[in-house]
Amino acid sequence: MELYTYYRSTSSYRVRIALALKGLDYHAQPVNLIAPGGGEHRQPAYLALNPQGRVPALRTDAGHLLTQSPAIIEFLEERYPQVPLLSRDLATRAQERAVAALIGCDIHPLHNVSVLNLLRQWGHDESQVQAWIGHWITQGLAAVEQLIGENGYCFGHEPGLADVYLIPQLYAAERFKVALDAYPRIRRVAALAQQHPAFVQAHPANQPDTPA
């Protein structure tokens, strides 16, 4: 498999974690989002792969080109079920999906670079942009804190779908200087992930395109 990725892309980070948790090999194809000329994701070669011009994209071993991290992760879960990301319990699976959707739909899109650039184009200064970021991340994580369990990872002693989404969001919170002091459950999950080989492997600091 080939993963078109960018080292600090939150969505790419999710897919890298899912691949690592499942023990799947892939070849990373870095796509530089800040390269001269507006980024490699806006060049014809990449747009021919993904017309939306975003990462990640995954070319499967069968040659299919998949886009959008939720769809890619669902594909991996169905194609390679031997290391499951979802609980066997139906209600718990729904809770795991809810946390993933809260992060993937309600937090992350609001601090995506395209949104932030538009705010700047509309005349908002950097203090206002940072306040925007802090508001949405803080509001979202406050809800996540109440939804996840009191022990282990988000929903048990093994990492799963909710953790795949949460850990990259915490990396973004750190980048944007959003404090996590008010979220002891989230900080517990973060501490566990720091010791887990799959999360270490997928971390932005350990990617082939990470700046030296």
Side-chain angles (χ1 to χ4, degrees):
M1 291 187 286
E2 292 181 308
L3 179 65
Y4 295 86
T5 178
Y6 181 61
Y7 78 102
R8 70 179 185 187
S9 155
T10 303
S11 299
S12 299
Y13 192 177
R14 290 175 200 151
V15 174
R16 295 197 303 263
I17 294 171
L19 287 162
L21 285 172
K22 289 179 174 291
L24 298 172
D25 292 329
Y26 66 93
H27 177 68
Q29 295 278 16
V31 180
N32 190 339
L33 303 187
I34 60 171
E40 293 176 351
H41 60 302
R42 295 180 178 175
Q43 301 306 310
Y46 188 72
L47 291 173
L49 296 173
N50 182 359
Q52 192 182 21
R54 293 190 176 182
V55 291
L58 180 73
R59 189 179 300 282
T60 71
D61 51 8
H64 302 297
L65 198 289
L66 310 178
T67 62
Q68 289 291 336
S69 61
I72 295 171
I73 293 168
E74 286 181 23
F75 168 85
L76 295 173
E77 181 71 351
E78 294 175 359
R79 174 66 179 82
Y80 305 99
Q82 66 271 22
V83 181
L85 300 178
L86 289 165
S87 170
R88 293 182 179 181
D89 179 74
L90 184 62
T92 304
R93 287 205 302 271
Q95 293 172 330
E96 291 167 331
R97 288 184 172 117
V99 169
L102 192 163
I103 295 168
C105 301
D106 296 336
I107 306 177
H108 172 235
L110 291 172
H111 65 72
N112 190 284
V113 65
S114 60
V115 171
L116 303 184
N117 285 340
L118 187 59
L119 290 173
R120 295 177 179 111
Q121 290 173 24
W122 285 350
H124 296 281
D125 61 30
E126 285 305 309
S127 66
Q128 293 172 317
V129 171
Q130 289 299 316
W132 168 278
I133 295 168
H135 171 80
W136 293 116
I137 293 181
T138 298
Q139 185 182 77
L141 291 183
V144 171
E145 175 74 10
Q146 300 304 310
L147 293 171
I148 63 177
E150 297 181 357
N151 299 288
Y153 289 91
C154 287
F155 290 98
H157 295 296
E158 297 296 331
L161 183 69
D163 308 283
V164 165
Y165 277 75
L166 177 59
I167 296 305
Q169 185 58 59
L170 300 184
Y171 174 77
E174 181 181 359
R175 279 184 58 210
F176 295 123
K177 297 179 172 53
V178 176
L180 302 179
D181 297 350
Y183 315 123
R185 295 181 182 182
I186 286 174
R187 287 189 283 109
R188 180 200 74 233
V189 174
L192 288 171
Q194 287 178 350
Q195 305 302 317
H196 194 295
F199 289 93
V200 173
Q201 176 184 330
H203 194 279
N206 299 321
Q207 302 313 301
D209 57 330
T210 304

